[in-house]
Amino acid sequence: MDKLKMILAVFLMTAIFNGFGAEDIQAKSSDLVVVLDAGHGGYDFGASGSGLYEKILNLKIAQYCKSELEKYKGVKVYMTRSKDTYVGLDERVSIASGVKADVFVSIHINSAVTASATGAEVYYPNLNYRPSVGAKGRKLAGEIQKKLVALGLYNRGIKIRTSSGGTVYADNSAADYYAVIRGSKKAGFPGVIVEHAFISNPADVRSYLSSNVSLKALGVADAKGIAACYGLKKTGDTAETLTKTKLTKLTGQSSTSVSLGWSKVKGADGYEIYRSASKNGTFTKIATVKKAATVSYKDKSLAGGRTFYYKVRPYKMVSDKKIVAGFCAAQKVKLLKKPSIAVKNQSSTRTKVSWKAVPGALQYEVYRSTSEDGKYQKIASVQDVTSFKDTNRRANKSYYYKVRAVSKGVKGNNYSSYSVAQ
Ligand SMILES: [Zn+2]
């Protein structure tokens, strides 16, 4: 009987060890496990104000956060509650342990007696007992807070709160005050509490809590903070998904400036502009346009009458890293030299304006004004000649003339600077 018992015991123990072994293999999945904890719920309403209840807002923010986080690769998201139900604090941490959480993010709305209290703050674990858990939590708190502050929320900072009532960890060090932060640390993962805004502050409510759009912004900010902390990448966050652009316009604006335009690239955060003095020469970055919506640029103060080559490439930022697409085909622009003109009155009603041919010019525009610094009007556009006779003038009146050269650019005309008025 004893022998049989022993065999049975060995058999059972082997089975248990094998069982653990299998779970260990499962736990080795490289996915980051994030547990989102919508605070309060059920009969526990949390804070309230302006007709809003914290438990409802928390759940919405958590759901928006989950949807955003799930756009990233290598992450699994769980919720401690997905309905308006009561879940105890210890149970929340147990749920997280049960799914092998790497991190626990508790979502709350703040409240204060004074209506003026405002802004966002994030609580993270102290450095007692398991300092590496505290350090990880601190980093996460910082990243989430950064994203919330970027929405315009007042920065109350990231904080720790240690129990003053004698609650201690296994090593007798003072424990964290908040149960979910303490419980998470005991379970081996960092827990943070995000206090998004104040339900007791009418301005916070108006700007951040009173519409689904603003609640979504909070949830998305949390997700971006988590993603930044753990270096998560969105599906499609690679250079291959960023297509090249095309130059849609490249023209001389004057003898010394160039106007560029290019097609908008989906997903780009901005564009880099490169220039070279020769087609196969070295292209140098001359500007970075940091707005996704801006698809044009003016390059000024160039050497007059010279030829330049331009190319543009889009970029996007992924977790603070710049990803660039390939360059578009380089295009050339030849700047036209500024003409110099001579003006001769041939009779009281006829004036001849002449100039030296500008290399590359296809046309010349002649402008006239009755005062030197006044408004000039185009009176003629001429081709294949280097002079113009103005017969449409009155006697005893002085006129001033200017000429500029014109050629064809990429989708538009190249213009030289205006000649000095004569
Ligand atoms: Zn709360």
Side-chain angles (χ1 to χ4, degrees):
M1 281 295 266
D2 278 348
K3 208 177 173 188
L4 193 68
K5 256 187 193 168
M6 220 169 88
I7 290 167
L8 202 67
V10 168
F11 176 79
L12 267 171
M13 272 171 71
T14 310
I16 287 164
F17 277 121
N18 285 343
F20 278 135
E23 282 203 35
D24 279 348
I25 289 160
Q26 259 188 346
K28 277 188 190 109
S29 143
S30 60
D31 279 353
L32 179 80
V33 177
V34 178
V35 173
L36 298 177
D37 175 50
H40 313 281
Y43 65 79
D44 173 11
F45 281 64
S48 60
S50 304
L52 299 171
Y53 297 106
E54 188 193 346
K55 64 170 186 173
I56 307 288
L57 305 184
N58 291 344
L59 183 57
K60 282 190 179 179
I61 295 169
Q63 277 161 339
Y64 285 127
C65 180
K66 182 173 188 276
S67 313
E68 179 68 17
L69 259 185
E70 284 173 342
K71 293 178 186 167
Y72 290 83
K73 286 183 287 189
V75 61
K76 261 198 184 125
V77 188
Y78 296 94
M79 311 260 284
T80 54
R81 69 176 175 98
S82 48
K83 284 182 288 197
D84 183 14
T85 47
Y86 177 81
V87 184
L89 295 178
D90 292 344
E91 200 185 336
R92 291 168 191 260
V93 176
S94 302
I95 291 168
S97 294
V99 296
K100 300 188 161 41
D102 290 303
V103 58
F104 182 93
V105 180
S106 195
I107 289 168
H108 286 258
I109 305 294
N110 225 331
S111 182
V113 182
T114 50
S116 60
T118 177
E121 63 192 20
V122 182
Y123 284 90
Y124 63 94
N126 68 24
L127 295 174
N128 292 344
Y129 182 43
R130 284 174 168 162
S132 70
V133 171
K136 273 186 219 159
R138 184 196 174 95
K139 186 184 174 205
L140 175 62
E143 294 291 353
I144 293 176
Q145 180 72 356
K146 225 193 281 177
K147 304 293 180 195
L148 290 172
V149 169
L151 296 179
L153 278 152
Y154 174 72
N155 186 0
R156 299 173 66 85
I158 59 169
K159 302 172 174 183
I160 53 175
R161 185 165 172 192
T162 297
S163 165
S164 55
T167 312
V168 291
Y169 283 120
D171 64 354
N172 245 355
S173 62
D176 285 283
Y177 172 82
Y178 292 109
V180 291
I181 294 182
R182 186 173 63 242
S184 294
K185 192 192 274 179
K186 284 182 184 171
F189 46 84
V192 298
I193 296 177
V194 186
E195 296 282 3
H196 290 84
F198 280 76
I199 205 166
S200 48
N201 180 307
D204 272 15
V205 169
R206 206 163 39 239
S207 305
Y208 302 105
L209 306 176
S210 56
S211 74
N212 285 341
V213 171
S214 43
L215 293 170
K216 184 177 179 181
L218 296 176
V220 168
D222 292 343
K224 284 183 173 172
I226 296 165
C229 179
Y230 291 95
L232 298 178
K233 294 208 177 340
K234 270 187 181 169
T235 320
D237 275 351
T238 55
E240 298 86 68
T241 62
L242 202 56
T243 58
K244 289 180 187 179
T245 182
K246 241 195 269 172
L247 283 178
T248 54
K249 190 192 173 196
L250 182 62
T251 58
Q253 285 282 100
S254 72
S255 298
T256 58
S257 66
V258 162
S259 178
L260 282 108
W262 55 87
S263 57
K264 201 173 164 176
V265 171
K266 207 177 155 205
D269 290 323
Y271 300 88
E272 293 180 342
I273 299 147
Y274 281 70
R275 185 183 69 209
S276 171
S278 64
K279 194 176 182 181
N280 299 312
T282 311
F283 281 80
T284 319
K285 184 159 81 181
I286 54 157
T288 303
V289 170
K290 289 183 179 165
K291 279 187 186 152
T294 304
V295 289
S296 64
Y297 181 74
K298 281 204 172 68
D299 192 15
K300 294 170 189 162
S301 312
L302 295 159
R306 296 262 302 272
T307 298
F308 295 99
Y309 293 80
Y310 288 88
K311 55 188 188 182
V312 176
R313 65 178 178 189
Y315 73 86
K316 65 178 174 183
M317 301 304 297
V318 179
S319 312
D320 298 331
K321 260 184 73 187
K322 193 183 236 185
I323 288 176
V324 294
F327 283 108
C328 66
Q331 298 255 31
K332 160 172 113 165
V333 59
K334 183 173 168 31
L335 294 175
L336 294 165
K337 280 189 178 144
K338 180 162 93 174
S340 51
I341 63 169
V343 174
K344 216 182 210 168
N345 288 328
Q346 294 185 317
S347 75
S348 60
T349 57
R350 193 171 75 174
T351 300
K352 187 184 180 189
V353 183
S354 53
W355 55 89
K356 247 179 83 178
V358 170
L362 290 177
Q363 255 178 30
Y364 299 92
E365 291 177 347
V366 182
Y367 289 77
R368 189 180 76 180
S369 173
T370 49
S371 68
E372 195 174 356
D373 301 318
K375 229 185 142 168
Y376 283 79
Q377 276 189 320
K378 186 159 86 178
I379 56 165
S381 192
V382 296
Q383 233 167 320
D384 302 327
V385 291
T386 55
S387 67
F388 173 72
K389 283 183 185 126
D390 182 15
T391 52
N392 189 22
R393 58 163 296 168
R394 278 189 234 155
N396 307 321
K397 209 165 177 200
S398 29
Y399 291 94
Y400 293 85
Y401 296 89
K402 276 181 184 180
V403 172
R404 67 172 175 177
V406 186
S407 70
K408 274 260 158 289
V410 175
K411 296 259 168 73
N413 287 335
N414 294 319
Y415 295 101
S416 72
S417 298
Y418 290 100
S419 68
V420 173
Q422 302 277 335

